[in-house]
Amino acid sequence: PPAAEADQAAPAEDAPSSSEGGRDCAICLTEPSSMLMRPCNHLIACGRCAQRLVRQPCPMCRRHVRSVERVFF
């Protein structure tokens, strides 16, 4: 019956989250996000990927990233 199919919704397993409760890096998708983009303040990249974003557009808002700052949880 069609009603039974609606009850079997797929679980939200693909939601981006790291083991520390934060979000995973939007670039490599494997490490937790730990670097804050300046001046836009987006927290979307791990340390390795964030270094490549300096002097590049932020992947979230396309604003020029001047520097990155490590965030500790």
Side-chain angles (χ1 to χ4, degrees), residues 21-44:
R23 299 184 71 82
D24 286 341
C25 174
I27 312 302
C28 68
L29 304 175
T30 59
E31 298 294 322
S33 296
S34 61
M35 302 297 281
L36 194 66
M37 307 294 119
R38 293 292 190 187
C40 65
N41 296 326
H42 283 119
L43 179 64
I44 57 167

Side-chain angles (χ1 to χ4, degrees), residues 43-59:
L43 179 64
I44 57 167
C46 66
R48 181 177 292 176
C49 293
Q51 294 304 318
R52 297 185 313 184
L53 293 173
V54 177
R55 295 184 299 274
Q56 300 294 321
C58 170

Side-chain angles (χ1 to χ4, degrees), residues 1-12:
E5 292 176 16
D7 292 337
Q8 299 176 355

